[in-house]
Amino acid sequence: MSMSEAQAKPIAVDENNISPLLNGHNIPKVTLNDYQGKPVELAKLVEAKPTIFFFYRGGWCPFCNIQMGQLKAIEPKLIEMGFQLVGISPDSPEKLRESMTDNELSYMLLSDENLEATKAFGLAFFTSQKVTDMYQAKLGVKNHLFKNAQGQERLVLPVPAIYIADNQGLIHFQYANPNYKVRPASELIMTAAKLVVAK
């Protein structure tokens, strides 16, 4: 799959209609910003070492914060195996800083405010009007809004996902679940990582 094809994936009408990148595809050539606003190329990251990317909805999401803690717990083992852990969300660099401080994280978080990576990985979807209004009012979500096919401005989120890529940028494992309350168990991620190392 060429870079342009990977980046041309439209925003899905809802979370059940996403078309995520699969095993055997390559990590798209996308540049995001870290918490200091510095550009980081995903392709360059994987060249340095095998990488576990996890897409999360944002620091405002309690399920995402639980997952960040679970990943933090297994991070030392993953580093020992030669991996780096990288989180991607629509949060601004400023919000990433808050998440890193609140959760005492040492792994990298990247800001995908314009959803370039989320769309390139095929994980972006429009939330309903009800969810858009609720997240803005009750959870204070201030992400950019995007116009859907009907011209309505909606919040666009990533379906939470995990991707494990080797240092050639090849995806060996992917897990994307439209139910944002369900995240892969740490044991599953560890097993998948071990299998990638063994290849």
Side-chain angles (χ1 to χ4, degrees), residues 13-29:
V13 293
D14 61 34
E15 64 273 35
N16 295 311
N17 282 286
I18 59 164
S19 307
L21 285 185
L22 303 171
N23 297 347
H25 286 151
N26 283 310
I27 294 297
K29 290 183 172 132

Side-chain angles (χ1 to χ4, degrees), residues 45-101:
L45 273 182
V46 293
E47 274 173 27
K49 56 172 65 174
T51 307
I52 297 173
F53 292 103
F54 70 97
F55 283 81
Y56 67 102
R57 289 146 43 97
W60 50 269
C61 167
F63 297 95
C64 298
N65 286 312
I66 290 167
Q67 183 185 30
M68 283 196 255
Q70 289 169 336
L71 290 167
K72 177 184 161 184
I74 61 171
E75 186 191 16
K77 286 180 188 164
L78 294 170
I79 290 171
E80 220 173 89
M81 290 159 65
F83 285 96
Q84 62 185 337
L85 198 50
V86 177
I88 298 173
S89 78
D91 280 354
S92 65
E94 196 177 48
K95 290 280 181 200
L96 296 184
R97 268 199 300 276
E98 286 175 26
S99 287
M100 290 177 82
T101 306

Side-chain angles (χ1 to χ4, degrees), residues 9-19 56-57 60 90 115 118-119 122-128 131-132 135 143-144 146 148 154-160 177-180:
K9 291 200 176 206
I11 299 170
V13 293
D14 61 34
E15 64 273 35
N16 295 311
N17 282 286
I18 59 164
S19 307
Y56 67 102
R57 289 146 43 97
W60 50 269
L115 303 174
T118 304
K119 288 195 283 188
L123 300 168
F125 72 95
F126 285 106
T127 58
S128 65
V131 167
T132 296
Y135 284 6
N143 299 8
H144 303 309
F146 293 78
N148 64 12
R154 298 279 179 83
L155 196 57
V156 174
L157 294 174
V159 162
N177 192 329
N179 182 349
Y180 68 85

Side-chain angles (χ1 to χ4, degrees), residues 102-168:
D102 294 349
N103 296 299
E104 297 173 350
L105 305 177
S106 56
Y107 52 75
M108 186 185 292
L109 295 182
L110 295 176
S111 169
D112 188 24
E113 283 185 287
N114 296 318
L115 303 174
E116 284 174 42
T118 304
K119 288 195 283 188
F121 278 79
L123 300 168
F125 72 95
F126 285 106
T127 58
S128 65
Q129 193 65 60
K130 185 181 168 188
V131 167
T132 296
D133 296 344
M134 184 178 72
Y135 284 6
Q136 286 180 311
K138 293 190 178 165
L139 297 170
V141 179
K142 293 182 171 58
N143 299 8
H144 303 309
L145 296 179
F146 293 78
K147 282 189 177 171
N148 64 12
Q150 289 74 42
Q152 300 154 333
E153 293 207 319
R154 298 279 179 83
L155 196 57
V156 174
L157 294 174
V159 162
I162 297 265
Y163 280 89
I164 302 182
D166 63 21
N167 58 3
Q168 305 296 307

